[in-house]
Amino acid sequence: MKMTDEQLIALIEGEPNEELEAQLASDSNLKKRYDELKEVVEAMSTSGDVEVPFHVQAGVLSAIEKEKNKVSGNQSWLQIAAAVALLIIGFGAGKFSGTDSSNELMALKDEVQSLKEVTLTSTLQRYSASERIMAVNQIEEKGTVNKQLVSTLISTLNSDESPNVRYAALQALQKFINNEDVRAELVKSLEAQNDPLIQISMITILVEAEERSVIAPLKDIIEKEETTPEVKQQAEIAIQVLT
Amino acid sequence: MSLVKAGQLDYLNELFSRYSKRIYNYFLKSTLERAESDDLTQELFIRVMKYRNSYKEGHSVQFWIFQIARNMIKDHFRKMKIHKDQFNLVEVIPEREDVGDDELFEREKKLHRAMKELSDEKRELLVLSKFQGMKYEQIAKMRDTTVSNIKVQVHRTIKELKEAYFQLEEV
């Protein structure tokens, strides 16, 4: 009896067909067709998955934060902006009052700068997750940071309750990866992280920076039972690249 | 999902980590376009968040999410038909390191080249049933048709894919 490809596929999919199975044992042409179809079906079912790119993950996480912010309707970031604006207005008023020496101008600029940094730091410590992300982004936009802000970012990365804020802090720290202290802090922080997205991002950043001191913590991560398979895989790849 | 619907948006992160890889690969293997799949994945989770109130309690979250994904991909294919010449199909296989041995890597490359020979709709059907391992019953429900109809379509498409796959070998 002539067997169709559809019948062969049904058998591959697990539908029992004794007659077809018996024919397969004796008909080499039929067996060849069966093997070819099986190869294609197996290739599909064992096909590997591509990892979601980080910028997609970050985009979604940031959209979630925006939505949360909308829901909570919190306005305190605006209050901070208003405080900075008041200081700038005060500075402008002082300028028009007559004492316009360049030293005073520099001093006032420093004051504004330092107020901004204190505001960012305090935002990271007190306000909602969305506002903390905005503060982290502000630090990132500054381009250069002082030790205090780096240490605030590290402490945010290690202890913030929101994974989205921790992720934003990591992205901000990536800008300063050429700094040896930042790399050392990231290696230390990796061991304390348990969110797969942050673990994978951190491993990628440290591998790109060719930071070999991360190999030992990576081995520990692979050993840990609670580490997800994706993170283990990323850690194994990282070790291969760095050794 | 019920918690997200109730306004606990922190659980969206969990939904994202549970479904993002499957959804991303569904888009990637159906469209064969990386940049479009990036955008579609991002847009899908924004829609999940925006339309969270349309989720019906007790229903399968996976089914609901894939239904949204399917509607998006249908729109995408429509757009493709209009601007087909503007799109370049790309290799969407994982990196060699992810696949393991060379033989598997080559097989995977060949499979994806053969997939390009299928129509968009047929490719998407195989992605759901074979790459994503979705049951015929679920696909039939999603496409609002019968299980036997889906089964026939899948089997015919596998046959077509097999022809394309082994023709590549001869080239």
Side-chain angles (χ1 to χ4, degrees):
Chain A
M1 188 188 157
K2 169 89 175 131
M3 294 294 179
T4 65
D5 279 353
E6 282 78 4
Q7 284 172 303
L8 290 168
I9 296 165
L11 182 68
I12 294 164
E13 287 177 337
E15 259 181 45
N17 187 334
E18 282 176 21
E19 192 189 349
L20 180 53
E21 279 176 72
Q23 216 173 318
L24 273 174
S26 58
D27 184 338
S28 60
N29 282 334
L30 187 67
K31 180 75 169 57
K32 186 174 176 276
R33 271 169 55 209
Y34 172 84
D35 287 341
E36 285 180 350
L37 285 165
K38 198 171 176 201
E39 183 179 332
V40 173
V41 172
E42 277 180 0
M44 285 191 282
S45 58
T46 58
S47 168
D49 274 344
V50 176
E51 290 296 332
V52 183
F54 289 127
H55 68 270
V56 176
Q57 302 182 22
V60 173
L61 294 179
S62 141
I64 292 172
E65 279 308 317
K66 271 188 202 153
E67 182 72 10
K68 277 197 229 165
N69 193 33
K70 218 161 74 183
V71 169
S72 71
N74 207 324
Q75 295 295 312
S76 40
W77 180 258
L78 286 176
Q79 288 163 6
I80 291 166
V84 174
L86 270 176
L87 188 89
I88 292 166
I89 291 166
F91 160 69
K95 198 177 164 191
F96 281 110
S97 70
T99 54
D100 190 7
S101 78
S102 63
N103 282 345
E104 278 180 7
L105 187 68
M106 288 308 291
L108 274 167
K109 271 187 179 168
D110 286 349
E111 213 171 300
V112 171
Q113 185 58 29
S114 122
L115 177 68
K116 274 185 185 170
E117 287 177 4
V118 169
T119 308
L120 290 172
T121 310
S122 84
T123 304
L124 280 172
Q125 285 157 1
R126 288 209 305 266
Y127 292 89
S128 75
S130 319
E131 288 161 334
R132 298 200 302 276
I133 284 191
M134 282 167 79
V136 165
N137 291 340
Q138 290 266 318
I139 293 175
E140 195 182 346
E141 279 164 18
K142 279 163 64 65
T144 55
V145 287
N146 62 25
K147 272 193 174 170
Q148 193 201 337
L149 285 181
V150 167
S151 117
T152 308
L153 282 175
I154 301 270
S155 119
T156 303
L157 175 66
N158 288 335
S159 57
D160 198 288
E161 61 190 27
S162 159
N164 296 344
V165 177
R166 296 202 302 274
Y167 183 76
L170 175 62
Q171 295 300 312
L173 280 164
Q174 189 180 3
K175 287 257 172 88
F176 314 108
I177 198 69
N178 290 333
N179 182 315
E180 206 179 309
D181 293 340
V182 171
R183 290 202 302 276
E185 288 293 345
L186 286 186
V187 171
K188 222 191 289 171
S189 171
L190 179 60
E191 291 173 273
Q193 299 296 336
N194 53 18
D195 184 295
L197 172 61
I198 294 172
Q199 287 172 311
I200 291 174
S201 309
M202 213 179 250
I203 293 169
T204 310
I205 290 168
L206 288 165
V207 168
E208 279 171 6
E210 297 178 3
E211 181 55 52
R212 287 188 171 72
S213 67
V214 75
I215 293 175
L218 286 175
K219 285 180 180 164
D220 292 342
I221 285 174
I222 294 169
E223 292 299 311
K224 274 188 197 165
E225 209 176 298
E226 62 270 27
T227 307
T228 65
E230 292 81 12
V231 176
K232 281 187 183 175
Q233 194 187 24
Q234 194 74 15
E236 279 160 4
I237 293 168
I239 292 173
Q240 278 173 24
V241 172
L242 292 171
T243 45
Chain B
M1 192 58 217
S2 307
L3 292 167
V4 172
K5 203 177 164 181
Q8 296 192 40
L9 299 185
D10 279 328
Y11 285 94
L12 277 168
N13 292 358
E14 207 176 312
L15 271 188
F16 180 75
S17 55
R18 194 177 299 172
Y19 294 106
S20 60
K21 199 168 173 181
R22 285 193 66 188
I23 289 293
Y24 181 69
N25 280 277
Y26 164 68
F27 284 137
L28 188 60
K29 287 170 183 172
S30 301
T31 65
L32 302 174
E33 295 163 36
R34 276 188 197 276
E36 290 291 322
S37 304
D38 291 359
D39 292 349
L40 286 167
T41 305
Q42 201 161 318
E43 176 61 25
L44 176 117
F45 283 97
I46 290 169
R47 285 194 193 187
V48 164
M49 185 167 66
K50 213 166 152 187
Y51 304 118
R52 57 187 180 271
N53 290 329
S54 72
Y55 166 73
K56 287 186 187 132
E57 295 292 333
H59 283 63
S60 157
V61 177
Q62 179 193 292
F63 182 80
W64 181 67
I65 289 181
F66 268 93
Q67 247 181 340
I68 300 174
R70 256 214 99 223
N71 287 334
M72 289 172 66
I73 221 163
K74 269 161 57 187
D75 287 344
H76 171 79
F77 288 152
R78 221 171 286 137
K79 191 174 78 182
M80 277 274 286
K81 275 178 187 140
I82 301 166
H83 306 287
K84 200 154 192 166
D85 53 331
Q86 293 175 18
F87 294 92
N88 292 315
L89 301 185
V90 293
E91 295 285 356
V92 295
I93 54 167
E95 300 295 320
R96 181 183 287 264
E97 290 81 0
D98 298 336
V99 178
D101 69 62
D102 287 352
E103 200 183 319
L104 272 180
F105 183 72
E106 288 307 317
R107 190 175 81 171
E108 183 111 19
K109 257 168 72 176
K110 204 166 83 174
L111 174 71
H112 286 281
R113 278 196 206 115
M115 290 284 285
K116 285 180 191 172
E117 303 299 317
L118 301 177
S119 71
D120 294 334
E121 288 75 14
K122 285 178 179 173
R123 191 168 54 242
E124 191 250 349
L125 179 65
L126 283 191
V127 172
L128 280 178
S129 64
K130 298 300 169 194
F131 289 83
Q132 297 280 337
M134 207 175 265
K135 289 195 168 80
Y136 291 152
E137 287 78 6
Q138 289 173 301
I139 303 173
K141 203 174 155 196
M142 203 179 273
R143 292 192 166 204
D144 198 20
T145 183
T146 61
V147 175
S148 57
N149 191 10
I150 290 294
K151 197 170 155 185
V152 168
Q153 285 182 41
V154 170
H155 287 186
R156 282 185 188 154
T157 311
I158 293 175
K159 204 173 144 183
E160 200 179 321
L161 179 69
K162 186 203 87 173
E163 302 300 328
Y165 182 91
F166 286 99
Q167 258 174 20
L168 285 172
E169 205 162 61
E170 288 161 15
V171 175

